Amino acid sequence: MSLTASLNTAATGLLAAARGTQVVSENVANGLTEGYAPRRLDRAAALHGGVRLSGVTRQSDPGLLADRRLAESGRAAADLVSDMCARLERLAGPAGSDADLTRSVAALEGALVAAAADPVSAVRLTSVVDGAGALAGAVRSASDGVQSLRTQADDEIARQVESVNAALGRIADLNGRISTAAARGAETAPLVDRRQAEIDGIAGVVPVREIPRENGQVALLGGSGQFLLDGRIVRELGFEPAGVVTAGMTLAGGALSGLSLGGRAVPGGPGAGRLAGGSLGAAFEMRDVALVQAQAGLDALARDLVERFAEPTADPGLGAGEPGLFTDAGGLPDPARPEGLAGRLRLNPLVDPSAGGDPARLRDGLGATAPALPGDPVQLQRLADTLAARRTAEPDGPARSVADLAAGLVADLGAARLRAEERLGFEAARWEGLKQAELARGVDTDAEMQTLLRLESSYAANGRVIQAADAMLRRLLEI
Amino acid sequence: MVLHSVGDLARSFVQTAQLARMKARLDGLGQELSTGRSRDPVSRLGGSTERLSMIDRHLAVLDRGLDADTQLQSRFGLVQTTLETVEIRRGDLAEKLVTLTGAASDAALDAAAGSAREAFAAIVDTLNLRISGRSLFAGAATDRPALASAEEMLASLNGAVAGAVDGADAIRRVEDWFEAPGGGFRVLGYRGDDGAKAELRLGDGTRVDWGPRADDAAIRAVLTAAALGAVAAQAPGGGDPGIRAALLTEARDRTVSVAADLAGLRGRLGRAEESVATALLRQAAERTALSVSRNDMVAVDPFETASRLQETESRLEMSYAVTARLSRLSIMDYLR
């Protein structure tokens, strides 16, 4: 080994120290950057002396990343469901509050009791009409709220599909750039960082698994094994937003759109099918199942109100096809449109002053031909009994009063909200744990400072070697 | 090498999440303490909130029932007072007629007939009392007077008695006017509701009768007694003094005997009043019990909440202190 060889070797040491410092400065500068994987300089002993830099690698744990992404999907889904369930609960409750639907029923019951005790009072009759109108109004606005939530779910699906497609396009583009850079031997780490961030963005919407391909490219599997992207080839999600969703519109009926992947319907069932598990699947679930069930509950309550007041025990003077106190848009329940009855629930115009009716008809009976005596409580007592009576809607079902039905509906919504909150708590805790573990593998400024110290002394040491070799060479030349 | 470092962001992520949770809990506890009610009764009841909803409904209906029954109580009270006035008039008339005998002078008969006529008019007026525009004794037909005016009824009665042949016939004609199904009382005397009496429902589910009407048997009997004397003021049977004497002595006797009927009517009303009072007590007790149940479900214990609030507060403070302390610890301070 000659002295010049040692000079060269020391020079590689200096270069390595300088390069190492560059990596440290990059890490420290990006210490607060989300999604940044710390870089590490790889060194190996060179064959012909000195140190060889074999490259800068990204420190990331693919297993942890995959787990965290799955947890992200679960959390986003639970978040969407929990938010919608909370809003759903506020439409008819919560129980015990002033918005509790049972209170509207109770107000009407109370108004009927008061009117039956003093049938002469026009004020009391009007307050029965007001109470009945308020109950019908509360049911209608709950129904409108449910359909509005369905519309929002539908809009959300459209928005998410668009964002996933856009992200897939960008990932395909990044794949291309990464493979070109890798072939040239250039830095790919910042591009990989960006691609990881894009894939994280998809993970909330649809669960994804990343599969490495050649030249640093990746393929993405969505849900339970549906290819979304392979290298530069993208399969786009397809969805038709419905605009405004109303009660009768369903996926099965064809009025609402399902999800397609690469031009074909997604396998695995209605809605998001095999792509379920993230917020997209949750939005479909809400639009097509949970909110439809809520609407059905409201429709059952509205139907019960219309039917029980049209029975002869409620008002003996009513004819065969005539509605009683409550109507489905003015008549008996429309058999062709059972869904959405709750949105059509109205007060009978015969008693509604704003529709030209007279509250005194409550006392007379809606089908009566002659007015009743002013102090006659009998028909009002019948109405009060009808409201409080326990009645079976289906042949084998339990007998329930209107208040029972309302309380049951409110309780169901409250229980659904609680379950959704519990689920969200669990998913959020799981996600937080994984996120924390992932962040723990991020930049540690203290460790970088220690590395810097070592690099400083390495640089000084290599410099000293150069000085010594230089002095020895000069001594040689001085002879 | 990787295992020896812990990323900076990890610590701040955890701390931020913890602080946010503690502050949210602090807010919640503060709200519970100031309102005295649970912030989320639904979660406290574990989702089975039917009982709470039904208690609320029950309380609302009870309130209206209590109102309605209180009003009914005051109506019955008014009716009872009015009946007392009728009783007083009956008593006065009985006193004035008690000295009458079959051999009384014309002047005495005139005086007695005049008193009876006054008493009849006074009783009819009392029974036609209207409170807030509603008749008390007309049944469900509260917009009509209970009886025709005294003059109208007397005119009809006098017409009925005009052709009487003797005292017994005259008495029978007056009786028939009041009692016969097609008689003058039914046709023009009584103006109120003559259908079946409606039953009223009290808030606790018991029922009471509507209350006395001017066509009740006891009232008819009182009116008959007074009318017997009142028709004697005109000239019944062509002015035959024997008929007059017979009518007035009958009036004297009946005015005393109907006291029992009237007392019976008032007694039945008294029992109805008692039912209403009992219903009011029962409803008030039920209301108290339901309110207690509701509080158990919804209210929070202020002492427990206050101590949890304090505990959360001190944990938050400690968390702040730790955060500040740890952020000052960095190798940077020890280099140079």
Side-chain angles (χ1 to χ4, degrees):
Chain A
M1 286 258 187
S2 64
L3 280 175
T4 32
S6 42
L7 275 175
N8 287 330
T9 308
T12 64
L14 284 177
L15 185 64
R19 191 77 180 85
T21 310
Q22 191 183 345
V23 169
V24 164
S25 79
E26 175 115 11
N27 282 343
V28 168
N30 278 300
L32 296 177
T33 310
E34 270 271 7
Y36 174 86
R39 316 287 193 239
R40 195 184 66 183
L41 191 59
D42 290 328
R43 305 149 163 262
L47 285 171
H48 37 269
V51 58
R52 181 172 63 89
L53 299 176
S54 49
V56 173
T57 52
R58 271 178 90 249
Q59 301 293 103
S60 97
D61 182 340
L64 196 55
L65 186 63
D67 284 344
R68 194 263 297 160
R69 281 180 177 151
L70 279 178
E72 183 108 23
S73 311
R75 189 187 70 131
D79 197 22
L80 188 143
V81 171
S82 166
D83 179 62
M84 285 223 162
C85 281
R87 280 146 78 192
L88 189 56
E89 189 195 26
R90 283 199 286 275
L91 290 177
S97 74
D98 288 334
D100 185 347
L101 198 57
T102 324
R103 287 208 184 182
S104 303
V105 178
L108 180 57
E109 280 189 76
L112 279 168
V113 163
D118 188 13
V120 184
S121 162
V123 170
R124 293 196 182 191
L125 290 171
T126 309
S127 80
V128 170
V129 170
D130 287 345
L135 177 58
V139 171
R140 268 201 317 273
S141 74
S143 168
D144 290 345
V146 168
Q147 294 309 316
S148 160
L149 283 175
R150 285 184 81 205
T151 307
Q152 282 173 42
D154 194 77
D155 287 343
E156 183 66 20
I157 293 170
R159 204 188 53 77
Q160 287 178 7
V161 161
E162 208 179 297
S163 81
V164 166
N165 286 338
L168 286 173
R170 289 193 293 270
I171 293 169
D173 178 56
L174 283 166
N175 268 340
R177 286 161 70 186
I178 288 170
S179 77
T180 339
R184 273 204 334 258
E187 273 265 17
T188 59
L191 292 170
V192 176
D193 276 346
R194 223 187 299 169
R195 185 179 64 190
Q196 179 175 310
E198 292 285 348
I199 299 175
D200 284 349
I202 297 180
V205 177
V206 173
V208 282
R209 267 205 328 271
E210 193 180 317
I211 298 176
R213 290 284 194 244
E214 71 284 339
N215 276 341
Q217 299 191 39
V218 294
L220 288 181
L221 286 179
S224 43
Q226 306 298 306
F227 263 107
L228 294 174
L229 175 150
D230 193 348
R232 317 238 5 226
I233 305 167
V234 171
R235 283 166 86 194
E236 284 204 342
L237 294 172
F239 177 77
E240 282 297 319
V244 175
V245 179
T246 57
M249 295 166 76
T250 58
L251 179 59
L256 293 176
S257 165
L259 194 64
S260 69
L261 179 62
R264 290 206 297 256
V266 171
R274 293 238 181 89
L275 287 176
S279 61
L280 189 64
F284 270 106
E285 173 74 21
M286 290 306 292
R287 186 194 73 172
D288 296 332
V289 179
L291 289 170
V292 170
Q293 268 171 10
Q295 180 68 40
L298 284 169
D299 287 338
L301 175 65
R303 190 199 187 87
D304 185 85
L305 274 173
V306 178
E307 284 182 348
R308 65 167 64 207
F309 278 98
E311 282 170 6
T313 44
D315 192 336
L318 282 177
E322 285 172 14
L325 182 60
F326 290 101
T327 70
D328 173 357
L332 287 176
D334 183 353
R337 292 193 304 157
E339 314 95 356
L341 200 166
R344 305 192 296 267
L345 187 67
R346 290 221 143 50
L347 206 51
N348 193 317
L350 290 173
V351 297
D352 186 358
S354 67
D358 181 10
R361 300 291 300 262
L362 287 168
R363 186 177 57 206
D364 306 337
L366 292 171
T369 41
L373 291 173
D376 187 354
V378 172
Q379 176 57 23
L380 291 164
Q381 283 170 355
R382 273 196 208 110
L383 290 176
D385 286 344
T386 305
L387 191 59
R390 293 216 150 86
R391 166 184 183 271
T392 55
E394 307 106 38
D396 289 326
R400 314 180 76 186
S401 70
V402 176
D404 287 334
L405 283 172
L409 201 69
V410 170
D412 284 344
L413 295 180
R417 190 259 299 173
L418 278 185
R419 278 198 305 273
E421 275 180 1
E422 247 174 59
R423 176 116 209 120
L424 179 60
F426 166 74
E427 295 285 349
R430 189 166 72 124
W431 175 81
E432 268 179 38
L434 287 166
K435 184 80 185 169
Q436 185 191 351
E438 199 188 350
L439 287 173
R441 297 178 153 284
V443 173
D444 182 350
T445 324
D446 290 348
E448 298 296 324
M449 290 298 110
Q450 289 171 357
T451 309
L452 199 59
L453 282 176
R454 288 200 297 275
L455 287 170
E456 263 184 293
S457 54
S458 158
Y459 196 86
N462 278 297
R464 188 75 188 82
V465 166
I466 288 181
Q467 278 179 334
D470 178 59
M472 282 190 252
L473 275 171
R474 212 169 294 131
R475 173 71 55 82
L476 201 59
L477 291 171
E478 276 170 10
I479 291 171
Chain B
M1 180 200 127
V2 174
L3 297 170
H4 296 306
S5 75
V6 176
D8 298 336
L9 286 177
R11 188 202 295 163
S12 68
F13 176 72
V14 170
Q15 272 170 355
T16 319
Q18 271 178 358
L19 283 175
R21 266 198 292 272
M22 271 193 275
K23 277 163 79 171
R25 187 141 78 226
L26 206 63
D27 283 341
L29 287 170
Q31 191 184 338
E32 285 189 355
L33 193 59
S34 53
T35 60
R37 285 200 318 268
S38 166
R39 205 166 29 106
D40 189 6
V42 176
S43 91
R44 228 172 129 196
L45 295 169
S48 33
T49 55
E50 284 100 334
R51 257 203 87 208
L52 177 61
S53 291
M54 294 308 270
I55 285 182
D56 276 347
R57 169 231 171 204
H58 222 113
L59 281 170
V61 176
L62 267 179
D63 278 341
R64 301 309 290 274
L66 277 168
D67 245 355
D69 289 352
T70 308
Q71 289 212 333
L72 186 61
Q73 196 179 45
S74 72
R75 172 162 86 79
F76 278 175
L78 273 172
V79 171
Q80 194 66 281
T81 312
T82 314
L83 287 177
E84 203 182 308
T85 309
V86 171
E87 163 59 30
I88 290 172
R89 299 260 182 259
R90 178 212 66 80
D92 282 347
L93 183 61
E95 248 176 72
K96 291 200 179 108
L97 294 180
V98 77
T99 52
L100 208 62
T101 59
S105 66
D106 265 349
L109 290 178
D110 280 339
S115 303
R117 198 195 169 86
E118 270 168 33
F120 183 80
I123 291 173
V124 168
D125 278 346
T126 307
L127 290 172
N128 274 340
L129 193 67
R130 294 179 88 109
I131 301 287
S132 317
R134 302 179 199 183
S135 295
L136 284 182
F137 289 93
T142 54
D143 56 340
R144 308 203 286 259
L147 298 166
S149 70
E151 290 78 38
E152 275 179 55
M153 284 201 277
L154 283 174
S156 174
L157 276 163
N158 282 314
V161 174
V165 299
D166 65 1
D169 184 28
I171 291 167
R172 203 176 38 251
R173 284 178 184 228
V174 171
E175 268 178 9
D176 282 347
W177 195 92
F178 277 101
E179 298 297 325
F185 187 74
R186 292 278 169 223
V187 169
L188 71 78
Y190 180 63
R191 294 277 172 82
D193 170 29
D194 56 3
K197 267 195 200 172
E199 260 190 333
L200 293 171
R201 284 217 218 121
L202 299 176
D204 68 343
T206 53
R207 288 152 197 259
V208 284
D209 209 346
W210 174 274
R213 280 201 317 222
D215 69 341
D216 281 346
I219 305 281
R220 283 202 313 271
V222 173
L223 288 169
T224 311
L228 283 166
V231 297
Q234 298 287 75
D240 182 341
I243 294 181
R244 285 181 85 199
L247 283 168
L248 283 164
T249 46
E250 185 64 22
R252 174 201 66 197
D253 293 339
R254 285 216 188 181
T255 329
V256 171
S257 67
V258 298
D261 297 296
L262 199 53
L265 185 70
R266 297 184 69 199
R268 284 197 295 281
L269 181 60
R271 279 201 295 282
E273 284 180 295
E274 229 178 87
S275 297
V276 176
T278 310
L280 282 171
L281 280 176
R282 271 208 209 110
Q283 286 173 80
E286 203 181 335
R287 196 178 192 293
T288 311
L290 284 173
S291 295
V292 168
S293 281
R294 189 180 199 277
N295 271 341
D296 284 344
M297 283 185 192
V298 161
V300 290
D301 177 9
F303 300 109
E304 193 197 321
T305 311
S307 60
R308 273 165 60 199
L309 190 69
Q310 244 176 347
E311 186 199 321
T312 311
E313 234 183 317
S314 54
R315 290 237 302 272
L316 191 58
E317 280 170 9
M318 239 181 317
S319 203
Y320 284 144
V322 166
T323 307
R325 201 65 178 269
L326 287 178
S327 71
R328 284 203 298 274
L329 225 55
S330 165
I331 198 172
M332 233 64 75
D333 302 329
Y334 293 88
L335 292 172
R336 260 176 278 286

